Amino acid sequence: ANQLHEWAEAGLPADLRVPSGPPPTPAVPFLAPPLPAHPLIGRESLLEACRERLLSRRLLVLTGLPGAGKTALALALAHDPAIRQAYPDGVLWSGLGQSPDLAARVGAWAVALGWSLEALAGIPTLEDRARLLQAALSGRRMLLVLDDVWAPEHARALQLGGEDSAELVTTRLPVLANELASDEWVTVPELDTDAGRSLLSHFAPLLVEAGARTAERFVEAVGGLPLALVLVGRHLRAEGRLAQSPRLEAELH
């Protein structure tokens, strides 16, 4: 009490003074994960079509088999210079899954926009957080990415951007894609043999040199799924079994 009275008379010491003026403006938020080390192969025309759709229709829903590359395509779009220029106020990204904590996801976006954790603690409910965040996003030109959505209510809880923003949703469920985007959703297909072989050669170039048919059999074995091909390529490179035909045959089995 004596210390408080002394501070009231003489003022706060320098190390306890609160800076005057408005709080600093937060940097433009960019919550998308970093791009993978390997290139996006066999998706050039699909990437261009998705870019055009995001720039014109402001909603893009991607669907496809698990491992088909939906997230990889979403990452490429989030980092795309044309998309960044069209939505200069930032990128908000949220990976959902089957049982997301939606209040925490909204809270993470709010913190990225400059809210303090103390302020969020006073707004515990999802509905209140969403309402305030929607007001904060109004008028901003942002890209909101909802990755791996399993339920329509999860997507709708985070579709908080204004009319100047765009939304990119990925889901493995075609029924959900149709519900969110009617007949305008985009299917991410598996890679064809040539593209699959090119992806494998990035990790294991000697594999293609060992024989085109051997590489094609690896692509066929995993159904052309990019994620599986990345894992196979890394495994072959780590094992050092790239130029030995009998050992490659053993890997196929």
Side-chain angles (χ1 to χ4, degrees):
N2 290 336
Q3 185 66 71
L4 291 174
H5 179 73
E6 181 181 337
W7 287 347
E9 294 290 333
L12 288 172
D15 59 340
L16 291 180
R17 292 173 189 160
V18 178
S20 59
T25 302
V28 173
F30 187 79
L31 300 188
L35 289 169
H38 59 275
L40 190 67
I41 294 175
R43 302 300 196 197
E44 293 78 9
S45 59
L46 181 59
L47 179 62
E48 176 62 26
C50 289
R51 182 190 297 114
E52 291 300 320
R53 180 165 297 205
L54 267 182
L55 293 175
S56 60
R57 304 187 189 182
R58 306 296 175 92
L59 173 63
L60 174 62
V61 179
L62 302 175
T63 189
L65 293 174
K70 301 180 296 296
T71 299
L73 187 59
L75 276 173
L77 290 165
H79 286 264
D80 186 86
I83 298 296
R84 298 288 300 278
Q85 183 177 7
Y87 304 107
D89 294 325
V91 175
L92 299 178
W93 180 293
S94 187
L96 298 182
Q98 296 188 56
S99 302
D101 185 339
L102 296 174
R105 300 297 194 279
V106 174
W109 285 5
V111 169
L113 290 173
W115 293 8
S116 68
L117 294 176
E118 291 78 7
L120 279 179
I123 313 171
T125 68
L126 170 62
E127 291 76 11
D128 290 338
R129 288 186 178 187
R131 183 169 60 252
L132 292 174
L133 184 61
Q134 188 171 37
L137 292 176
S138 177
R140 300 194 188 207
R141 295 161 61 192
M142 304 189 74
L143 174 64
L144 279 60
V145 184
L146 311 180
D147 187 36
D148 193 24
V149 178
W150 284 71
E153 59 270 21
H154 297 165
R156 294 190 181 107
L158 293 173
Q159 290 179 313
L160 303 173
E163 60 182 13
D164 295 324
S165 293
E167 296 170 355
L168 170 55
V169 180
T170 76
T171 177
R172 64 185 64 188
L173 306 174
V175 173
L176 176 57
N178 186 67
E179 183 171 348
L180 294 175
S182 185
D183 58 348
E184 296 185 354
W185 44 274
V186 174
T187 298
V188 179
E190 302 90 306
L191 293 177
D192 60 28
T193 301
D194 290 339
R197 189 169 58 240
S198 296
L199 182 55
L200 268 181
S201 68
H202 175 78
F203 296 94
L206 294 179
L207 173 63
V208 178
E209 295 177 14
R213 179 53 189 160
T214 301
E216 290 174 4
R217 289 183 63 191
F218 274 102
V219 176
E220 294 168 359
V222 299
L225 293 173
L227 179 58
L229 289 169
V230 169
L231 296 176
V232 167
R234 288 174 176 169
H235 171 70
L236 291 174
R237 182 172 59 186
E239 291 295 315
R241 299 176 177 176
L242 305 181
Q244 303 177 49
S245 182
R247 300 184 74 178
L248 285 173
E249 291 295 327
E251 287 296 325
L252 280 170
H253 300 288

